């Protein structure tokens, strides 16, 4: 009857469901690997090596870890609790805070085939979950493997990456104000240049010299400070810079409702508030991943 009146039935296809499906699959996989790690033999501390880090390095790492840990509840309050108390809604930044925190799972995966990056095992750790990732190739056994400094990295990925994303969006707004006619592609180009040099400063000139991690497998001819423990490969600026640029673009390019492109169709999700917001989160998490 609707078709006879010239009314076309609404399509059942909803793009947010596709994003949410992938987000749910990724989250389920992460939980499986993490649970397998915690309940298995690899949940064991990797001890510090024979070379004791200098006092300045221990001091900086301890202070920085403390600052990062203290900042996590502040970030949760600022990006999730406060907006909820004021407006009874979960903001995109609140969703990104949790999604970026879950990206911590992917941190050691760059060593999938060969260990070319490693953290300072003087810091507290329980090894890592890499040996529980299907198909893992790099060497590892309990107590001798890739170690994740969880007290620093877990909160660092959460609100730390979110703050870097917010800063990148500010750079995009400044670029748009400076060049009003710049295209979206040009704006992303400016962003990629920014994220490259920002990563150089944060990683190459701060985190690595203070002894947090090192790239022993970096190609020295393509690295800054080659031959030192803080040698920074130029292609790391493209890899992590590319990730950060993607996160910034996801947050910056929104519709008139402030929604990212993966949230299209949210109004057609059947169910109550909780189901809608969980679907929305899974979609955003999929895009970040």
């Amino acid at each position: 009857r609707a078709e006879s009146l010239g009314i076309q039935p609404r399509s059942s296809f909803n793009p947010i469901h596709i994003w949410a499906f992938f987000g749910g699959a990724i989250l389920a996989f992460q939980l499986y690997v993490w649970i397998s790690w915690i309940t298995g033999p690899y949940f064991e501390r990797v001890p510090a090596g024979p070379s004791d880090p200098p006092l300045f390095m221990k001091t900086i790492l301890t202070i920085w870890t403390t600052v990062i840990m203290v900042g996590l509840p502040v970030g949760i309050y600022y990006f999730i609790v406060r907006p909820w108390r004021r407006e009874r809604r979960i903001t995109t930044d609140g969703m990104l805070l949790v999604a970026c925190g879950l990206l911590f799972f992917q941190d050691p995966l760059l060593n999938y085939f060969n260990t070319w990056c490693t953290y300072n095992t003087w810091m507290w750790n329980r090894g890592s979950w890499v040996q529980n990732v299907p198909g893992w190739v790099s060497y590892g056994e309990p107590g001798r493997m890739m170690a994740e400094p969880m007290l620093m990295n877990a909160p660092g990925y959460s609100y730390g990456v979110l703050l870097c994303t917010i800063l990148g969006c500010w750079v995009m707004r400044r670029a748009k104000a400076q060049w009003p006619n710049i295209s979206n592609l040009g704006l992303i180009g400016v962003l990629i240049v920014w994220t490259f040099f920002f990563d150089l400063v944060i990683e190459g000139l701060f985190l690595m010299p203070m002894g947090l991690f090192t790239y022993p497998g970096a190609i020295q001819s393509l690295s800054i400070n080659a031959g030192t423990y803080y040698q920074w490969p130029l292609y790391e600026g493209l890899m992590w810079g590319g990730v950060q640029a993607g996160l910034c673009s996801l947050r910056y390019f929104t519709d008139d409702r402030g929604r990212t492109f993966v949230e299209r169709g949210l109004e057609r999700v059947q169910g109550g508030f909780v189901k809608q917001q969980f679907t929305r989160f899974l979609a955003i998490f999929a895009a970040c991943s």
Side-chain angles (χ1 to χ4, degrees):
R1 179 174 174 80
E3 291 177 353
S4 67
L5 295 174
I7 302 174
Q8 296 299 320
R10 173 175 272 181
S11 172
S12 60
F13 173 76
N14 193 342
I16 194 173
H17 284 149
I18 303 300
W19 286 103
F21 170 80
F22 283 112
I26 295 170
L27 181 58
F29 175 73
Q30 290 189 197
L31 292 176
Y32 164 76
V33 172
W34 270 333
I35 292 172
S36 300
W37 165 56
I38 294 172
T39 58
Y42 293 100
F43 192 69
E44 180 180 327
R45 174 178 172 79
V46 177
S51 300
D52 193 45
L55 180 60
F56 88 89
M57 190 176 290
K58 293 180 180 179
T59 303
I60 294 176
L61 290 175
T62 300
I63 294 174
W64 188 244
T65 300
T66 303
V67 170
I68 292 292
M69 290 176 61
V70 171
L72 180 59
V74 176
I76 292 173
Y77 173 80
Y78 187 85
F79 291 111
I80 297 179
V81 177
R82 193 177 73 159
W84 177 257
R85 292 178 63 183
R86 287 184 173 184
E87 309 171 34
R88 286 294 185 268
R89 71 186 185 95
I90 303 175
T91 63
T92 299
D93 285 343
M95 296 281 184
L96 288 173
L97 178 78
V98 181
C100 289
L102 289 171
L103 293 185
F104 172 50
F105 173 85
Q106 299 188 37
D107 184 67
L109 299 188
L110 77 170
N111 290 327
Y112 191 90
F113 293 106
N114 191 23
T115 303
W116 76 291
C117 173
T118 185
Y119 284 96
N120 191 334
T121 55
W122 177 81
M123 304 178 68
W124 187 86
N125 70 83
R126 298 298 293 181
S128 66
W129 47 92
V130 293
Q131 298 298 322
N132 295 98
V133 175
W136 188 263
V137 177
S138 295
Y139 172 81
E141 63 180 54
R144 284 188 278 184
M145 61 184 307
M146 168 73 178
E148 282 283 335
M150 292 179 288
L151 298 181
M152 179 183 291
N153 278 11
Y157 261 84
S158 182
Y159 76 91
V161 172
L162 174 58
L163 291 178
C164 293
T165 302
I166 293 173
L167 179 60
C169 290
W170 177 83
V171 171
M172 296 174 78
R173 289 195 300 272
R174 293 291 297 174
K176 187 67 175 179
Q178 181 69 28
W179 304 292
N181 296 324
I182 190 171
S183 66
N184 288 346
L185 189 61
L187 201 58
I188 293 174
V190 172
L191 177 64
I192 291 175
V193 173
W194 157 257
T195 55
F196 177 89
F197 285 102
F198 183 71
D199 188 68
L200 166 61
V201 173
I202 295 298
E203 286 196 24
L205 303 181
F206 177 59
L207 294 178
M208 296 182 69
M210 80 179 192
L212 176 58
F213 60 94
T214 181
Y215 291 108
I219 301 175
Q220 293 195 11
S221 60
L222 296 177
S223 299
I224 294 176
N225 295 319
T228 66
Y229 73 88
Y230 50 91
Q231 62 183 4
W232 183 79
L234 293 169
Y235 43 90
E236 167 65 6
L238 297 176
M239 292 192 296
W240 179 251
V243 172
Q244 192 65 74
L247 295 173
C248 293
S249 298
L250 176 68
R251 183 179 182 271
Y252 182 85
F253 294 109
T254 57
D255 61 16
D256 56 353
R257 298 183 183 181
R259 294 178 179 175
T260 63
F261 76 96
V262 297
E263 297 172 78
R264 293 172 184 170
L266 178 63
E267 69 282 352
R268 291 193 280 130
V269 174
Q270 301 296 319
F273 176 82
V274 174
K275 181 180 178 181
Q276 283 192 336
Q277 296 306 305
F278 188 59
T279 301
R280 178 183 169 217
F281 166 73
L282 290 178
I284 291 175
F285 174 54
C288 292
S289 297

